[in-house]
Amino acid sequence: MTAGSGDAAAGDPGNPAVPATPAAPSTWNVANLLTILRLVLVPLFVVALFVAGTDDGAEGVWRYVAAGLFLLAALTDNVDGWVARRYDLITDFGKIADPIADKALIGAALVGLSILGELPWWVTIVIAARELGVTLLRFWVIRYGVIPASRGGKAKTLAQVVAIFMLLLPLPGVLDVISWGVLWVAVALTVATGLDYLVRAVRLRLAARHAVS
């Protein structure tokens, strides 16, 4: 066998002995389009929220529109991740855009509610500080490894989404009290998971340094 024939055999996709390298998924796939949809929905949600603020406050029909847009955007977060994993559509664009879209949606809702005077600013600051801190920690340990999302982190996100959705709706007294209860749970999980991420990041760095030494 000549060198030329060997090269041909190794690179021939028709050769059953040599598995073909799967093509990288296109950036313009369903999962990424859902992520882009979530990014597009964020400014639409903000507009609806502030229009509602000038239309009889929380009682205006625009408030329901804002809540619906928020819920739709939040649902795309679960769907795009499932689609990407199920059909092997994970791309570099998705890895970057997906968390940006998540933080944009939650951040826009919290800031909007605080501007309207319906949510204490300290709640918005605590949650924003946690997300920023975790992002910085990811960069701090990126050369040593990736810290996987914990169950607490997923519960935190779910609690935030449920609490914000309930706060967006003009709910009667009892349900409004429940919505604030869910919010306090979300704040507690936000702080707890942030501290947990800090501990795991420090342990990862120390373990990597000990392994090198």
Side-chain angles (χ1 to χ4, degrees), residues 60-73:
V61 65
W62 280 100
R63 193 61 180 242
Y64 290 99
V65 174
L69 289 172
F70 176 83
L71 182 60
L72 176 60

Side-chain angles (χ1 to χ4, degrees), residues 5-145:
S5 61
D7 291 342
D12 183 4
N15 187 346
V18 181
T21 302
S26 170
T27 299
W28 299 104
N29 59 57
V30 175
N32 287 345
L33 290 176
L34 286 171
T35 300
I36 293 172
L37 173 62
R38 186 156 72 259
L39 285 168
V40 171
L41 287 174
V42 171
L44 297 178
F45 157 72
V46 171
V47 170
L49 180 61
F50 282 99
V51 169
T54 62
D55 182 17
D56 297 325
E59 301 299 326
V61 65
W62 280 100
R63 193 61 180 242
Y64 290 99
V65 174
L69 289 172
F70 176 83
L71 182 60
L72 176 60
L75 290 176
T76 64
D77 181 28
N78 291 324
V79 176
D80 66 4
W82 180 85
V83 170
R85 292 187 297 270
R86 176 66 176 80
Y87 297 100
D88 195 21
L89 298 176
I90 299 174
T91 64
D92 290 338
F93 173 83
K95 293 177 182 178
I96 296 173
D98 186 67
I100 291 176
D102 296 342
K103 290 176 174 56
L105 177 64
I106 297 296
L110 294 172
V111 170
L113 288 171
S114 293
I115 290 175
L116 292 174
E118 300 179 28
L119 182 68
W121 274 105
W122 71 263
V123 173
T124 297
I125 293 172
V126 165
I127 294 177
R130 185 269 187 195
E131 299 303 329
L132 176 60
V134 167
T135 299
L136 293 176
L137 284 172
R138 286 195 178 103
F139 284 108
W140 188 52
V141 301
I142 193 169
R143 61 177 295 188
Y144 303 105

